């Protein structure tokens, strides 16, 4: 609830939304507070995440093979295009940003690390969804698709066709699908077992991320994602054998949902 909801939560709200008794919720919170995973605000009687959570998160990032393999290349992408480069990984029922290197422009994009976002909205989510296991894809297409912005794809048939295009090209694009004023290009990262383990993207304001720039970024993002995949032990071209491709030429690129 702290990951998905507001920064502070009271016992009553937690009990109501989780379907638990207040007594049970209070005991759980007391246990978490004893380990500094949450802290109680005495003025509001609401709980917030505590310092131990920050320590756990920092340790997880430090020990992340994916983040270690990608960080230098994220900086290279940022330096090359001046736009923010991000790293995402799939989690149950969505994905989270693991890291970012913000752009060099005065007005630039920034993402919220650790917050879960749905897979169907935005280029990072779509490229991971496109190469996910069939059961994962079916689960997303069969469930109601949340409309985050007017441009979010919520028709399962349209989304299925979009995912097929992502598999054909090897990258995904988005123009305002997750965040209305943002556009991005992303490519999937594969792990040792040739499963999709993340995505790398370049994102910026829609007014700067036009068709020409997207056409320049797409092949670089694909190349960087493939380089990270090799670092993680993925078999070169493994996803190609499932009928996917990485035809990231400028002529094949067009931003979506303009």
């Amino acid at each position: 609830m702290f990951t998905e909801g507001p920064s502070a939560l009271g016992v009553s709200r937690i009990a109501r939304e989780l379907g638990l008794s207040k007594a049970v919720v209070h005991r759980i919170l007391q246990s978490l507070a004893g380990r500094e995973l949450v802290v109680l605000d005495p003025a509001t009687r609401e709980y917030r995440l505590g310092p131990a959570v920050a320590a756990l998160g920092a340790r997880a990032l430090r020990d992340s093979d994916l983040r270690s393999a990608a960080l230098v290349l994220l900086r290279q992408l940022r330096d090359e295009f001046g736009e923010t480069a991000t790293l995402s990984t799939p989690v149950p029922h969505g994905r989270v940003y693991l890291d970012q290197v913000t752009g060099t422009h005065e007005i630039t994009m920034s993402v919220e690390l650790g917050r879960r976002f749905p897979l169907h909205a935005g280029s990072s989510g779509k490229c991971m969804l496109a190469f996910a296991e069939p059961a994962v894809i079916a689960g997303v297409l069969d469930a109601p698709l949340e409309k985050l912005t007017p441009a979010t794809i919520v028709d399962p048939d349209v989304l299925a066709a979009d995912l097929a295009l992502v598999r054909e090209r090897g990258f995904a694009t988005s123009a305002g699908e997750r965040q209305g004023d943002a556009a991005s290009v992303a490519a999937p990262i594969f792990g040792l077992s040739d499963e999709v383990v993340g995505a790398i993207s370049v994102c910026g304001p829609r007014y700067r991320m036009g068709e020409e720039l997207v056409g320049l970024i797409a092949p670089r993002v694909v190349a960087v994602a493939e380089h990270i995949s090799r670092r993680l032990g993925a078999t070169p071209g493994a996803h190609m054998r499932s009928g996917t491709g990485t035809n990231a030429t400028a002529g094949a690129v067009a931003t979506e949902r303009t």
Side-chain angles (χ1 to χ4, degrees), residues 2 28 30 33 36 44 55 78 90 115 135 154 165-166 170 179 223 230 246:
F2 284 102
I28 294 171
Q30 288 296 103
E36 295 190 316
T44 64
R78 187 275 311 274
R115 179 182 174 186
V154 294
L165 182 61
V166 172
Q179 189 175 342
R230 290 194 297 271
T246 53

Side-chain angles (χ1 to χ4, degrees), residues 113-151:
L113 303 183
R115 179 182 174 186
R116 184 167 58 193
F117 294 105
L119 288 174
H120 71 281
S123 64
S124 292
K126 288 193 303 181
C127 72
M128 287 188 286
L129 179 60
F131 291 94
E133 294 294 324
V136 174
I137 299 174
V140 172
L141 293 177
D142 291 343
L145 299 172
E146 182 182 1
K147 195 174 187 67
L148 302 183
T149 75

Side-chain angles (χ1 to χ4, degrees), residues 10-16 18-32 47:
V11 172
S12 296
R13 176 170 179 176
I14 295 172
R16 182 174 61 253
L18 295 183
L20 299 172
S21 72
K22 291 183 181 180
V24 168
V25 169
H26 185 263
R27 284 199 301 271
I28 294 171
L29 288 170
Q30 288 296 103
S31 178
L32 295 173
Y47 290 84

Side-chain angles (χ1 to χ4, degrees), residues 173-223:
T173 63
S174 170
E177 293 178 19
R178 186 188 68 79
Q179 189 175 342
D181 57 354
S184 60
V185 187
I189 299 169
F190 299 89
L192 184 61
S193 301
D194 297 326
E195 79 285 6
V196 64
V197 297
I200 195 163
S201 81
V202 173
C203 62
R206 289 179 66 176
Y207 72 87
R208 279 205 305 264
M209 294 282 288
E211 215 172 294
E212 182 178 356
L213 182 57
V214 169
L216 295 174
I217 293 173
R220 287 289 295 124
V221 168
V222 169

